[in-house]
Amino acid sequence: MKYYEIKTLSTEDLRNRLKEESEGLENLRFQKSIGQLENFKGIENTRKLIARIQTILKERDLSDKKDN
């Protein structure tokens, strides 16, 4: 998911997506630890997506505080 695609989502959708991706990352790490993971790039991609979502949520939070 690209930055501009994430930015169009609502804050509630972003929070839900963040929770889903965090759970997915946990599953990928578990698969890696027991040797079932074949695509190690998935961990990196998921981490980057989580960082993008957190960045947008932080930007929105700061802009809300600035407006008040």
Side-chain angles (χ1 to χ4, degrees):
M1 193 171 226
K2 300 289 183 182
Y3 181 79
Y4 63 88
E5 295 171 334
I6 298 170
K7 201 161 183 168
T8 60
L9 296 174
S10 70
T11 303
E12 188 62 33
D13 289 340
L14 285 175
R15 287 191 178 115
N16 291 336
R17 186 69 190 255
L18 181 61
K19 183 179 178 183
E20 292 171 5
E21 293 298 329
S22 296
E23 291 171 359
L25 181 59
E26 185 178 330
N27 289 335
L28 288 172
R29 287 178 175 161
F30 179 73
Q31 288 176 1
K32 180 183 175 190
S33 69
I34 61 174
Q36 289 183 347
L37 186 64
E38 295 179 8
N39 182 8
F40 292 97
K41 194 74 169 169
I43 293 175
E44 182 180 338
N45 293 338
T46 304
R47 288 180 61 221
K48 286 182 180 182
L49 179 57
I50 289 172
R52 286 184 187 116
I53 293 171
Q54 288 175 335
T55 300
I56 292 171
L57 286 171
K58 184 70 172 179
E59 287 174 353
R60 290 183 183 179
D61 184 44
L62 290 175
S63 69
D64 289 344
K65 288 181 181 178
K66 184 179 178 183
D67 292 340
N68 291 332

